mmCIF file of all heavy atoms in Angstrom:
data_model
loop_
_atom_site.group_PDB
_atom_site.id
_atom_site.type_symbol
_atom_site.label_atom_id
_atom_site.label_comp_id
_atom_site.label_asym_id
_atom_site.label_seq_id
_atom_site.Cartn_x
_atom_site.Cartn_y
_atom_site.Cartn_z
ATOM 1 N N MET A 355 63.352 35.297 32.273
ATOM 2 C CA MET A 355 64.166 34.426 33.110
ATOM 3 C C MET A 355 64.208 33.034 32.505
ATOM 4 O O MET A 355 63.207 32.504 32.032
ATOM 5 C CB MET A 355 63.547 34.355 34.503
ATOM 6 C CG MET A 355 64.414 33.635 35.485
ATOM 7 S SD MET A 355 63.864 33.988 37.167
ATOM 8 C CE MET A 355 62.869 32.553 37.464
ATOM 9 N N VAL A 356 65.399 32.439 32.506
ATOM 10 C CA VAL A 356 65.580 31.078 32.004
ATOM 11 C C VAL A 356 65.005 30.088 33.030
ATOM 12 O O VAL A 356 65.306 30.165 34.215
ATOM 13 C CB VAL A 356 67.070 30.783 31.779
ATOM 14 C CG1 VAL A 356 67.287 29.317 31.404
ATOM 15 C CG2 VAL A 356 67.643 31.706 30.705
ATOM 16 N N LEU A 357 64.145 29.188 32.551
ATOM 17 C CA LEU A 357 63.602 28.160 33.420
ATOM 18 C C LEU A 357 64.286 26.832 33.196
ATOM 19 O O LEU A 357 64.603 26.111 34.132
ATOM 20 C CB LEU A 357 62.099 28.018 33.185
ATOM 21 C CG LEU A 357 61.269 29.303 33.362
ATOM 22 C CD1 LEU A 357 59.822 29.064 33.003
ATOM 23 C CD2 LEU A 357 61.392 29.798 34.800
ATOM 24 N N ASP A 358 64.501 26.499 31.935
ATOM 25 C CA ASP A 358 65.172 25.249 31.615
ATOM 26 C C ASP A 358 66.170 25.510 30.488
ATOM 27 O O ASP A 358 65.771 25.668 29.336
ATOM 28 C CB ASP A 358 64.141 24.176 31.206
ATOM 29 C CG ASP A 358 64.776 22.824 30.992
ATOM 30 O OD1 ASP A 358 66.035 22.721 31.008
ATOM 31 O OD2 ASP A 358 64.038 21.842 30.811
ATOM 32 N N PRO A 359 67.450 25.567 30.803
ATOM 33 C CA PRO A 359 68.444 25.907 29.789
ATOM 34 C C PRO A 359 68.775 24.759 28.837
ATOM 35 O O PRO A 359 69.477 24.957 27.866
ATOM 36 C CB PRO A 359 69.685 26.295 30.601
ATOM 37 C CG PRO A 359 69.533 25.545 31.874
ATOM 38 C CD PRO A 359 68.055 25.384 32.132
ATOM 39 N N HIS A 360 68.260 23.562 29.143
ATOM 40 C CA HIS A 360 68.469 22.421 28.255
ATOM 41 C C HIS A 360 67.108 21.822 27.942
ATOM 42 O O HIS A 360 66.828 20.674 28.288
ATOM 43 C CB HIS A 360 69.407 21.389 28.879
ATOM 44 C CG HIS A 360 70.818 21.878 28.973
ATOM 45 N ND1 HIS A 360 71.793 21.438 28.126
ATOM 46 C CD2 HIS A 360 71.380 22.808 29.761
ATOM 47 C CE1 HIS A 360 72.922 22.076 28.425
ATOM 48 N NE2 HIS A 360 72.688 22.898 29.409
ATOM 49 N N ALA A 361 66.260 22.621 27.328
ATOM 50 C CA ALA A 361 64.879 22.208 27.130
ATOM 51 C C ALA A 361 64.759 21.169 26.027
ATOM 52 O O ALA A 361 65.579 21.107 25.136
ATOM 53 C CB ALA A 361 64.028 23.424 26.792
ATOM 54 N N ARG A 362 63.703 20.381 26.174
ATOM 55 C CA ARG A 362 63.398 19.423 25.105
ATOM 56 C C ARG A 362 62.775 20.165 23.947
ATOM 57 O O ARG A 362 62.188 21.223 24.118
ATOM 58 C CB ARG A 362 62.333 18.445 25.605
ATOM 59 C CG ARG A 362 62.914 17.342 26.387
ATOM 60 C CD ARG A 362 61.798 16.351 26.667
ATOM 61 N NE ARG A 362 62.062 15.733 27.955
ATOM 62 C CZ ARG A 362 61.169 15.058 28.628
ATOM 63 N NH1 ARG A 362 59.943 14.943 28.178
ATOM 64 N NH2 ARG A 362 61.481 14.505 29.766
ATOM 65 N N ARG A 363 62.852 19.534 22.796
ATOM 66 C CA ARG A 363 62.210 20.092 21.615
ATOM 67 C C ARG A 363 60.723 20.253 21.894
ATOM 68 O O ARG A 363 60.103 19.421 22.558
ATOM 69 C CB ARG A 363 62.415 19.164 20.409
ATOM 70 C CG ARG A 363 61.980 19.746 19.105
ATOM 71 C CD ARG A 363 62.302 18.757 17.993
ATOM 72 N NE ARG A 363 63.758 18.703 17.770
ATOM 73 C CZ ARG A 363 64.427 19.655 17.112
ATOM 74 N NH1 ARG A 363 63.806 20.695 16.609
ATOM 75 N NH2 ARG A 363 65.731 19.550 16.945
ATOM 76 N N PHE A 364 60.179 21.318 21.421
ATOM 77 C CA PHE A 364 58.764 21.646 21.554
ATOM 78 C C PHE A 364 57.924 20.570 20.887
ATOM 79 O O PHE A 364 58.097 20.297 19.712
ATOM 80 C CB PHE A 364 58.569 22.972 20.830
ATOM 81 C CG PHE A 364 57.507 23.804 21.423
ATOM 82 C CD1 PHE A 364 57.759 24.511 22.576
ATOM 83 C CD2 PHE A 364 56.277 23.908 20.803
ATOM 84 C CE1 PHE A 364 56.777 25.297 23.132
ATOM 85 C CE2 PHE A 364 55.298 24.710 21.347
ATOM 86 C CZ PHE A 364 55.554 25.401 22.513
ATOM 87 N N ALA A 365 57.018 19.938 21.620
ATOM 88 C CA ALA A 365 56.161 18.940 20.994
ATOM 89 C C ALA A 365 54.706 19.217 21.362
ATOM 90 O O ALA A 365 54.382 19.370 22.541
ATOM 91 C CB ALA A 365 56.573 17.531 21.459
ATOM 92 N N ALA A 366 53.848 19.263 20.351
ATOM 93 C CA ALA A 366 52.442 19.610 20.577
ATOM 94 C C ALA A 366 51.778 18.597 21.531
ATOM 95 O O ALA A 366 50.958 18.957 22.356
ATOM 96 C CB ALA A 366 51.703 19.634 19.237
ATOM 97 N N LYS A 367 52.167 17.307 21.413
ATOM 98 C CA LYS A 367 51.520 16.291 22.248
ATOM 99 C C LYS A 367 51.967 16.354 23.706
ATOM 100 O O LYS A 367 51.415 15.663 24.554
ATOM 101 C CB LYS A 367 51.763 14.901 21.640
ATOM 102 C CG LYS A 367 53.238 14.522 21.652
ATOM 103 C CD LYS A 367 53.388 13.062 21.258
ATOM 104 C CE LYS A 367 54.782 12.661 21.599
ATOM 105 N NZ LYS A 367 55.638 12.007 20.807
ATOM 106 N N ASP A 368 52.970 17.146 23.984
ATOM 107 C CA ASP A 368 53.481 17.264 25.361
ATOM 108 C C ASP A 368 52.575 18.213 26.158
ATOM 109 O O ASP A 368 52.846 19.393 26.299
ATOM 110 C CB ASP A 368 54.921 17.776 25.331
ATOM 111 C CG ASP A 368 55.528 17.841 26.728
ATOM 112 O OD1 ASP A 368 54.822 17.471 27.693
ATOM 113 O OD2 ASP A 368 56.687 18.259 26.839
ATOM 114 N N THR A 369 51.507 17.651 26.686
ATOM 115 C CA THR A 369 50.496 18.498 27.337
ATOM 116 C C THR A 369 50.927 18.941 28.742
ATOM 117 O O THR A 369 50.355 19.869 29.291
ATOM 118 C CB THR A 369 49.155 17.747 27.434
ATOM 119 O OG1 THR A 369 49.420 16.463 28.003
ATOM 120 C CG2 THR A 369 48.498 17.581 26.086
ATOM 121 N N GLY A 370 51.899 18.259 29.323
ATOM 122 C CA GLY A 370 52.298 18.597 30.677
ATOM 123 C C GLY A 370 53.325 19.724 30.745
ATOM 124 O O GLY A 370 53.764 20.107 31.818
ATOM 125 N N ARG A 371 53.671 20.273 29.598
ATOM 126 C CA ARG A 371 54.783 21.212 29.543
ATOM 127 C C ARG A 371 54.551 22.489 30.363
ATOM 128 O O ARG A 371 55.426 22.901 31.127
ATOM 129 C CB ARG A 371 55.072 21.568 28.100
ATOM 130 C CG ARG A 371 56.234 22.481 27.947
ATOM 131 C CD ARG A 371 56.468 22.815 26.508
ATOM 132 N NE ARG A 371 57.871 23.068 26.313
ATOM 133 C CZ ARG A 371 58.750 22.177 25.956
ATOM 134 N NH1 ARG A 371 58.342 20.946 25.685
ATOM 135 N NH2 ARG A 371 60.002 22.475 25.848
ATOM 136 N N ALA A 372 53.369 23.099 30.149
ATOM 137 C CA ALA A 372 53.105 24.381 30.838
ATOM 138 C C ALA A 372 53.177 24.194 32.348
ATOM 139 O O ALA A 372 53.766 25.021 33.078
ATOM 140 C CB ALA A 372 51.753 24.929 30.401
ATOM 141 N N GLN A 373 52.608 23.098 32.812
ATOM 142 C CA GLN A 373 52.615 22.833 34.248
ATOM 143 C C GLN A 373 54.054 22.632 34.772
ATOM 144 O O GLN A 373 54.451 23.154 35.800
ATOM 145 C CB GLN A 373 51.759 21.599 34.552
ATOM 146 C CG GLN A 373 51.329 21.536 35.994
ATOM 147 C CD GLN A 373 50.994 20.119 36.408
ATOM 148 O OE1 GLN A 373 50.801 19.229 35.587
ATOM 149 N NE2 GLN A 373 50.896 19.914 37.710
ATOM 150 N N PHE A 374 54.799 21.897 33.978
ATOM 151 C CA PHE A 374 56.200 21.634 34.337
ATOM 152 C C PHE A 374 56.986 22.949 34.438
ATOM 153 O O PHE A 374 57.706 23.197 35.396
ATOM 154 C CB PHE A 374 56.821 20.699 33.290
ATOM 155 C CG PHE A 374 58.292 20.467 33.488
ATOM 156 C CD1 PHE A 374 58.760 19.890 34.648
ATOM 157 C CD2 PHE A 374 59.192 20.825 32.506
ATOM 158 C CE1 PHE A 374 60.128 19.666 34.828
ATOM 159 C CE2 PHE A 374 60.545 20.597 32.661
ATOM 160 C CZ PHE A 374 61.011 20.030 33.838
ATOM 161 N N LEU A 375 56.781 23.798 33.442
ATOM 162 C CA LEU A 375 57.498 25.088 33.453
ATOM 163 C C LEU A 375 57.058 25.943 34.640
ATOM 164 O O LEU A 375 57.845 26.668 35.224
ATOM 165 C CB LEU A 375 57.297 25.833 32.130
ATOM 166 C CG LEU A 375 57.915 25.133 30.927
ATOM 167 C CD1 LEU A 375 57.690 25.922 29.637
ATOM 168 C CD2 LEU A 375 59.409 24.917 31.132
ATOM 169 N N GLY A 376 55.775 25.819 34.986
ATOM 170 C CA GLY A 376 55.264 26.526 36.150
ATOM 171 C C GLY A 376 56.016 26.124 37.407
ATOM 172 O O GLY A 376 56.354 26.953 38.255
ATOM 173 N N ILE A 377 56.300 24.826 37.519
ATOM 174 C CA ILE A 377 57.048 24.337 38.683
ATOM 175 C C ILE A 377 58.491 24.835 38.639
ATOM 176 O O ILE A 377 59.041 25.264 39.638
ATOM 177 C CB ILE A 377 56.988 22.794 38.757
ATOM 178 C CG1 ILE A 377 55.543 22.359 39.061
ATOM 179 C CG2 ILE A 377 57.920 22.254 39.835
ATOM 180 C CD1 ILE A 377 55.283 20.900 38.922
ATOM 181 N N LEU A 378 59.092 24.792 37.447
ATOM 182 C CA LEU A 378 60.471 25.295 37.312
ATOM 183 C C LEU A 378 60.541 26.769 37.710
ATOM 184 O O LEU A 378 61.517 27.246 38.242
ATOM 185 C CB LEU A 378 60.964 25.138 35.888
ATOM 186 C CG LEU A 378 61.301 23.744 35.420
ATOM 187 C CD1 LEU A 378 61.848 23.779 33.991
ATOM 188 C CD2 LEU A 378 62.316 23.083 36.329
ATOM 189 N N GLU A 379 59.461 27.484 37.442
ATOM 190 C CA GLU A 379 59.436 28.915 37.714
ATOM 191 C C GLU A 379 59.270 29.225 39.201
ATOM 192 O O GLU A 379 59.957 30.060 39.751
ATOM 193 C CB GLU A 379 58.304 29.574 36.925
ATOM 194 C CG GLU A 379 58.319 31.079 36.971
ATOM 195 C CD GLU A 379 57.279 31.695 36.050
ATOM 196 O OE1 GLU A 379 56.336 30.985 35.616
ATOM 197 O OE2 GLU A 379 57.418 32.895 35.748
ATOM 198 N N LYS A 380 58.351 28.489 39.825
ATOM 199 C CA LYS A 380 57.968 28.879 41.181
ATOM 200 C C LYS A 380 58.237 27.844 42.241
ATOM 201 O O LYS A 380 58.115 28.106 43.421
ATOM 202 C CB LYS A 380 56.475 29.209 41.201
ATOM 203 C CG LYS A 380 56.085 30.297 40.211
ATOM 204 C CD LYS A 380 55.032 31.228 40.781
ATOM 205 C CE LYS A 380 54.831 32.417 39.866
ATOM 206 N NZ LYS A 380 53.941 32.098 38.740
#
Side-chain angles (χ1 to χ4, degrees):
M355 188 164 97
V356 174
L357 303 176
D358 186 352
H360 289 255
R362 277 187 212 165
R363 189 177 288 283
F364 211 77
K367 64 171 194 228
D368 184 0
T369 50
R371 182 181 209 93
Q373 200 203 345
F374 175 60
L375 294 180
I377 293 170
L378 287 183
E379 188 174 17
K380 303 219 171 81

